[in-house]
Amino acid sequence: MIEIIIGVLVLISALIVLIASIGIVRFNNLYARMHVVTKVTSFGLLTMLIAVNLLFSQLWVLIESIVIFHVLIFLSPISAHVIAKVSAWLETNKIEDKSFNDIEKPMSSSTKDNDNIK
């Protein structure tokens, strides 16, 4: 029974990380991407650490998991804040952000002709 619970927690953790990865690709500005990275992956790691603790059931694993989770909880917002400050300093919000889907395609001959008319 405990193996089923552990398996479900690992699957939930993997699904959360997958959703975060899709969110990173889908969002088109830096601040939205930072939000996904800092918030969603923390929850994904928490579910994974719970599954690890259920699997091993030892005190040292619990202590290591608590340390890992607290380091992530404390350092993730700090790193996001530093990235946001540098982004504001470089004024990246004034630059047109391109998402990964905005790959420029070669112009066809009909498009080139229309540009010459203008």
Side-chain angles (χ1 to χ4, degrees):
M1 181 65 183
I2 195 76
E3 291 86 12
I4 295 172
I5 296 171
I6 293 169
V8 168
L9 285 173
V10 169
L11 286 176
I12 289 171
S13 176
L15 183 65
I16 290 169
V17 171
L18 176 68
I19 291 170
S21 302
I22 292 170
I24 291 171
V25 172
R26 186 131 192 252
F27 289 138
N28 60 356
N29 64 5
L30 174 74
Y31 303 110
R33 288 179 180 158
M34 278 191 327
H35 178 73
V36 169
V37 169
T38 57
K39 306 294 182 225
V40 179
T41 54
S42 298
F43 183 63
L45 180 71
L46 177 65
T47 55
M48 180 63 73
L49 289 175
I50 290 171
V52 167
N53 282 311
L54 287 175
L55 179 64
F56 291 109
S57 301
Q58 295 177 357
L59 181 62
W60 63 272
V61 174
L62 176 65
I63 293 170
E64 285 181 353
S65 297
I66 290 172
V67 169
I68 290 170
F69 186 69
H70 280 88
V71 165
L72 179 75
I73 290 296
F74 289 130
L75 293 182
S76 184
I78 292 170
S79 63
H81 178 74
V82 169
I83 291 170
K85 291 293 273 189
V86 169
S87 171
W89 181 64
L90 294 175
E91 298 178 345
T92 57
N93 56 348
K94 295 180 181 176
I95 300 172
E96 179 184 338
D97 288 334
K98 290 192 174 192
S99 67
F100 295 112
N101 299 329
D102 293 341
I103 299 172
E104 295 184 23
K105 297 177 183 171
M107 295 187 343
S108 65
S109 60
S110 63
T111 308
K112 290 179 185 177
D113 295 337
N114 291 339
D115 288 342
N116 292 334
I117 294 173
K118 296 178 185 178

